[in-house]
Amino acid sequence: MVTRGASSEASPAAGVVCLSRAPATTMSSMRTTIDELTAEIRAFRDARDWRQFHNPKELAVAIAAEAGELLQHFVWQNPEQSDRRVVERRAEIASEIADVAILLFELADNSGIDVAAAIRAKLARNEERYPVDKARSSNAKYNEL
């Protein structure tokens, strides 16, 4: 099943489309590289000539919309209920995670941003902001440690 995200165009053909809804595979699929996934996303998009609709604003809006759909699974759930919800609705939650990831990878690709490099840079910055000796077992923001 293909879902349509937000778009400034009234035409259904102009909608941002997320490819997912397939059940998650095993953790071995995590060995797939970011470049391989991005190439699959790009091929899916290009086969349908949708690049013209996938500008940075539309993709950012679609990411926010799909993240909202993911969040909807956990609204008003305490931590134990949230953990149980993941087990009970695993396929639905995996699908929403995939929607967000697909759009995020495409936004990065279209913008010339290396996702792996961006993540590594952010982790390095967070290492500085949240030193283990100060941040362990604390949920305080870096400027409050």
Side-chain angles (χ1 to χ4, degrees):
M1 176 178 208
V2 176
T3 60
R4 296 207 181 271
S7 173
S8 61
E9 300 287 333
S11 166
V16 174
V17 177
C18 308
L19 53 123
S20 69
R21 304 292 184 228
T25 58
T26 65
M27 288 303 286
S28 66
S29 66
M30 293 294 285
R31 293 188 189 112
T32 302
T33 69
I34 291 171
D35 288 342
E36 290 169 337
L37 287 171
T38 301
E40 289 179 43
I41 294 163
R42 192 182 313 119
F44 180 92
R45 180 205 62 208
D46 291 350
R48 290 151 182 83
D49 192 27
W50 288 343
R51 174 65 175 92
Q52 61 187 316
F53 309 118
H54 292 198
N55 62 69
K57 191 245 355 168
E58 294 298 335
L59 290 170
V61 168
I63 289 167
E66 294 298 342
E69 290 182 23
L70 175 61
L71 182 60
Q72 196 63 36
H73 287 279
F74 303 105
V75 172
W76 307 116
Q77 302 287 306
N78 66 37
E80 294 79 22
Q81 290 170 317
S82 291
D83 288 339
R84 192 167 52 249
R85 179 68 54 102
V86 170
V87 172
E88 293 169 352
R89 298 187 183 178
R90 185 172 196 80
E92 296 168 51
I93 291 169
S95 179
E96 298 305 342
I97 290 170
D99 285 340
V100 172
I102 287 165
L103 292 163
L104 185 65
F105 281 30
E106 185 181 354
L107 176 59
D109 184 51
N110 292 357
S111 303
I113 295 170
D114 180 328
V115 174
I119 289 171
R120 286 186 178 112
K122 187 64 171 189
L123 287 171
R125 180 133 192 241
N126 286 344
E127 282 288 341
E128 295 171 8
R129 288 178 160 183
Y130 298 94
V132 173
D133 60 322
K134 292 182 180 179
R136 182 179 299 280
S137 298
S138 172
N139 65 354
K141 192 168 178 174
Y142 66 90
N143 60 353
E144 298 172 351
L145 291 172

